Amino acid sequence: EVENITFLATRDGQLEPNPPGTGLFTNSKLNAYEIYTADTWRVKPSLTLSYGLLYEWQVPPVEKEGKQTVIIRQDTGELLNPKDYLRQKFDDAAQGKIFNPVLAYVPIKDTGRKGTFNTDRKNFSPRFAFAWNPSFHKGLLGKLLGEQKTVLRGGYSMLYDRINTIQTITVPTLGVGFAQTLQTGAAKNAAGQPFRAGIDGPLPLPAAPPIKTPIVPGVNAPSEVLSFVVDPFITVPRNHTIDFTVQRELPGHMILEVGYIGRLGRNLYQSVNLNQVPYNFKDPASGQTFAEAFDKLADQLRAKVPAASVTPQPWFENLLPKLAPVAGSRTVAFAAGSTANIINGNLSSVFSTIDRFAAQPFNDFGQATELFFRTSLGRSNYHALVVTLRKRYTNNLTFDLNYTLSRSLDQVGVVQNIANLLPNSFNLDAEYSPSNFDETHIFNSNWVYDLPFGKGQRFASTGNSLLSRLVSGWYTAGIFRAASGFPLSIVQGSNVWGGSLLLGTNSGAIGLGGADFGTGVHSGVPGSNNTGTAGNPAAKGTGLNIFADPDAVLNAVRRVHLSEDTRSGRNALRGLGFWQADMTIGKSTTITERVKLRLSIDLVNVFNHVNFTDPTISLQSPSSFGVISTQRISDLQNIFPRRVQLSGRIEF
């Protein structure tokens, strides 16, 4: 029997319902144009300058049927600027005023606009680079730089991102107007009995209701779960790229290169939520902000004070008039009904409850759960020292040694086509910390060495031709990789700042000290007080934990305090490091003048070193806190337990 039926109804560019089962298709075009000039000036034989200027503009993508919408304020008809909206919402909240205007969605064909956002026409991209090969015969510079044995290189350029249709066409089409999730109640057959799939005929799909423009969810159209919209004032992200290297020839046919690389990302694509919780909202009567009231209440519940015994907070007492008091207190009533969300700091969930009891909703949850806006507010910074030592092939040997010391910082750590929202749309730097992919130290090397035995080699065999064939032609090659661990968070939750109810990004708890936060592979760790106990060897756990004493670490962190913290503890720790050595041993034998036989044995992870995957460390899962349970394996990165491959090849 079918209890209910849910399906995605789609509409065409005129907002007319398509037949049930019609897919949501887009037919879009995106044009980009570039004009550039470049020149190279050889100032003198030892100095070369390169420079140029590129100008580009990217026309906003257009969907053939016009299946794109923009948001306006219903009261003024003005296009919505998410930056201005969030700024006014934050400022009004600080004065105890609710900013919650009714929003309307208008198909692009009804606006007279050519695109959902304006063309960014300020994208000038300058380029400059130089290469200098000085020649000093004597003195200190002669010793340091030598006679044309050193090259200094450097450069700067401004690069721009490419607009893609994932966030500007495909995802917004899932939003208001052209797609709608419909659901029936208990389905019935013609006899009024529960509908039986496969027996009573085609499923009775619900009919898509008519809608008209402007579309006002919650008023003349159903409320939405996800509203995906592109900021009409979005600009193209840019990246300042800087590099400077010094390359020096050394004795032994070796070259040493030391350099700096910088990448400074600005105006990066980020996704903000207009339903960001106004945690700074001030109670006009008492002057207490929600953040202050929430922190005091949450601290008591986290200290295991019963909900019935919490201290009344003026904010809850004054601003939740629709909540019936318990024991004479609305704070007690609220604490009793939302204990888990308050303890865990699930702010978006907390406000979805608060809005039901407030005199007026603080957010537009009634129109859409997530008011998702794609805009360009983000920033990132990458700085690196790179060192390379390279030996040209001489004396049967060549090798490369490479080391990078780097730091990458960003605001949320996801790529631009991810649908996650910023954790805090009021304060983008609330999560500014090392990028999820940041590795402080990276070392890799490779080598090839032809063994010096046999005919024509340093240790040539004499006399016996068969012996010469047996000992000659041997070689070995290998790759060694090592890196420090990726950043790691002690996760508090995904709506700590109230930035999202459904598409949140995890925020990290804040360390207080007083415990050993050092990470590594600690064996024989049973856990205690229900912390890390999932790894207890006595209960068939791995016994491996990233912390020596997970319970001590759990008790040495706290959740974010909204009234005092401006940053979370995201990526405050480092995960497990990595290293692996791969090696080949082979032999090449000449059979005839034109035929050779090559035999080799390839060993991936020759030492069978185990690289563990970083565990998830969450305050909401204490039993698995820090427990290491899986090995790091990657086809893409060629990371495996030891593998041995034998191969033979005839060349002719």
Side-chain angles (χ1 to χ4, degrees):
E1 295 180 358
V2 178
E3 294 183 357
N4 61 68
I5 300 170
T6 302
F7 88 110
L8 183 70
T10 64
R11 292 184 172 85
D12 62 20
Q14 308 302 317
L15 297 176
E16 294 297 325
N18 291 317
T22 302
L24 187 63
F25 299 101
T26 60
N27 186 344
S28 60
K29 66 177 181 179
L30 170 62
N31 295 325
Y33 305 92
E34 293 182 351
I35 300 173
Y36 69 91
T37 179
D39 187 29
T40 299
W41 177 23
R42 193 171 185 182
V43 182
K44 53 185 179 179
S46 63
L47 177 62
T48 302
L49 301 180
S50 300
Y51 42 88
L53 179 66
L54 179 145
Y55 174 67
E56 67 166 36
W57 68 98
Q58 301 178 52
V59 179
V62 176
E63 207 281 326
K64 183 177 180 180
E65 293 186 35
K67 288 185 284 191
Q68 297 169 285
T69 57
V70 294
I71 293 186
I72 62 172
R73 286 184 55 168
Q74 190 185 42
D75 55 351
T76 65
E78 295 177 346
L79 274 176
L80 194 67
N81 185 323
K83 307 178 190 69
D84 294 342
Y85 184 100
L86 289 166
R87 187 182 304 113
Q88 186 170 351
K89 184 175 183 178
F90 186 82
D91 292 344
D92 283 3
Q95 301 175 44
K97 301 177 184 177
I98 292 178
F99 179 71
N100 192 10
V102 176
L103 306 180
Y105 296 74
V106 182
I108 190 68
K109 63 182 179 59
D110 295 338
T111 65
R113 294 173 58 85
K114 294 182 179 180
T116 54
F117 55 91
N118 303 328
T119 301
D120 187 353
R121 299 191 182 277
K122 300 178 181 179
N123 298 339
F124 289 92
S125 176
R127 317 286 175 95
F128 172 79
F130 72 91
W132 182 36
N133 181 209
S135 179
F136 294 95
H137 304 286
K138 54 187 177 180
L140 179 60
L141 291 178
K143 292 181 179 180
L144 289 176
L145 303 180
E147 187 174 351
Q148 292 188 324
K149 293 184 179 297
T150 301
V151 179
L152 287 81
R153 299 184 180 93
Y156 166 83
S157 66
M158 172 84 82
L159 303 178
Y160 291 91
D161 279 6
R162 284 292 187 194
I163 296 173
N164 65 66
T165 57
I166 297 295
Q167 292 290 353
T168 56
I169 290 283
T170 307
V171 174
T173 306
L174 289 167
V176 178
F178 306 104
Q180 183 180 352
T181 302
L182 300 176
Q183 187 176 58
T184 66
K188 303 292 183 181
N189 60 18
Q193 299 172 334
F195 191 91
R196 297 166 297 175
I199 298 175
D200 293 331
L203 293 175
L205 298 177
I211 58 175
K212 61 180 181 179
T213 183
I215 306 163
V216 186
V219 179
N220 68 4
S223 298
E224 296 284 339
V225 176
L226 301 173
S227 164
F228 294 98
V229 183
V230 181
D231 178 5
F233 307 100
I234 199 170
T235 57
V236 179
R238 59 211 59 193
N239 201 313
H240 300 273
T241 67
I242 309 163
D243 68 87
F244 177 77
T245 61
V246 178
Q247 188 181 77
R248 178 71 159 89
E249 185 177 348
L250 301 176
H253 302 280
M254 292 189 292
I255 295 176
L256 175 66
E257 186 170 5
V258 180
Y260 162 79
I261 297 173
R263 299 289 185 268
L264 312 178
R266 298 295 182 264
N267 295 0
L268 303 181
Y269 290 138
Q270 294 284 32
S271 301
V272 297
N273 186 9
L274 302 193
N275 272 339
Q276 163 69 49
V277 166
Y279 54 80
N280 66 323
F281 196 94
K282 181 184 290 187
D283 169 31
S286 67
Q288 185 183 50
T289 66
F290 170 82
E292 294 167 341
F294 182 82
D295 286 344
K296 290 178 180 179
L297 176 59
D299 282 348
Q300 285 192 299
L301 293 177
R302 291 164 186 166
K304 303 190 183 307
V305 174
S309 302
V310 297
T311 303
Q313 300 299 325
W315 198 96
F316 298 107
E317 300 298 325
N318 298 335
L319 296 181
L320 302 182
K322 298 179 183 179
L323 179 62
V326 172
S329 170
R330 290 191 174 94
T331 306
V332 170
F334 180 71
S338 303
T339 303
N341 281 329
I342 295 171
I343 289 174
N344 292 321
N346 295 331
L347 213 60
S348 298
S349 300
V350 165
F351 257 82
S352 67
T353 299
I354 284 176
D355 275 357
R356 299 204 309 265
F357 300 115
Q360 178 184 348
F362 292 92
N363 290 291
D364 272 325
F365 289 142
Q367 290 201 274
T369 303
E370 305 281 50
L371 281 166
F372 178 112
F373 254 90
R374 189 64 161 173
T375 186
S376 49
L377 291 170
R379 69 185 180 102
S380 67
N381 293 292
Y382 174 82
H383 302 279
L385 167 71
V386 293
V387 181
T388 297
L389 178 63
R390 179 176 295 113
K391 183 184 185 303
R392 294 194 296 270
Y393 184 81
T394 54
N395 298 325
N396 295 33
L397 175 66
T398 180
F399 63 76
D400 266 0
L401 306 176
N402 305 282
Y403 169 71
T404 303
L405 172 66
S406 65
R407 184 75 157 174
S408 178
L409 299 160
D410 61 37
Q411 294 167 316
V412 68
V414 295
V415 295
Q416 63 173 270
N417 62 347
I418 293 293
N420 293 78
L421 287 156
L422 278 170
N424 189 335
S425 295
F426 289 147
N427 176 15
L428 274 62
D429 280 343
E431 301 287 328
Y432 186 73
S433 59
S435 306
N436 293 346
F437 53 82
D438 178 60
E439 292 176 289
T440 305
H441 305 282
I442 299 175
F443 176 80
N444 64 73
S445 62
N446 61 77
W447 74 91
V448 176
Y449 181 51
D450 293 320
L451 274 61
F453 304 106
K455 185 177 180 181
Q457 298 291 339
R458 185 186 312 169
F459 304 106
S461 58
T462 57
N464 192 316
S465 175
L466 177 61
L467 178 62
S468 176
R469 290 193 177 195
L470 288 176
V471 301
S472 63
W474 288 91
Y475 65 91
T476 179
I479 298 172
F480 178 78
R481 297 173 288 163
S484 54
F486 291 111
L488 196 61
S489 298
I490 298 178
V491 175
Q492 176 180 333
S494 62
N495 58 72
V496 170
W497 302 100
S500 171
L501 189 62
L502 304 174
L503 300 175
T505 304
N506 284 331
S507 298
I510 295 174
L512 301 173
D516 181 6
F517 284 87
T519 56
V521 180
H522 301 279
S523 59
V525 180
S528 58
N529 299 321
N530 195 39
T531 304
T533 51
N536 188 352
K540 298 184 179 181
T542 64
L544 303 177
N545 200 290
I546 202 167
F547 302 115
D549 187 348
D551 187 55
V553 173
L554 180 65
N555 289 298
V557 298
R558 67 165 173 82
R559 291 171 170 84
V560 169
H561 281 163
L562 298 171
S563 60
E564 60 180 277
D565 295 324
T566 56
R567 297 252 182 110
S568 80
R570 171 180 170 254
N571 287 347
L573 303 179
R574 284 284 163 175
L576 303 171
F578 161 84
W579 68 266
Q580 180 173 299
D582 306 325
M583 187 175 178
T584 292
I585 299 174
K587 181 179 180 347
S588 176
T589 302
T590 299
I591 298 176
T592 68
E593 183 178 350
R594 295 187 177 183
V595 179
K596 285 187 178 181
L597 173 65
R598 289 187 182 273
L599 301 173
S600 68
I601 177 171
D602 305 316
L603 299 102
V604 176
N605 195 356
V606 61
F607 299 110
N608 202 28
H609 174 69
V610 178
N611 293 288
F612 289 105
T613 303
D614 291 334
T616 299
I617 309 172
S618 174
L619 299 183
Q620 299 182 36
S621 303
S623 64
S624 60
F625 193 84
V627 175
I628 300 171
S629 58
T630 57
Q631 182 177 348
R632 183 176 173 184
I633 297 175
S634 171
D635 290 322
L636 183 64
Q637 297 174 307
N638 203 41
I639 300 173
F640 303 104
R642 181 192 292 135
R643 289 185 174 184
V644 180
Q645 173 180 285
L646 300 175
S647 64
R649 186 172 71 174
I650 296 176
E651 298 178 353
F652 56 90

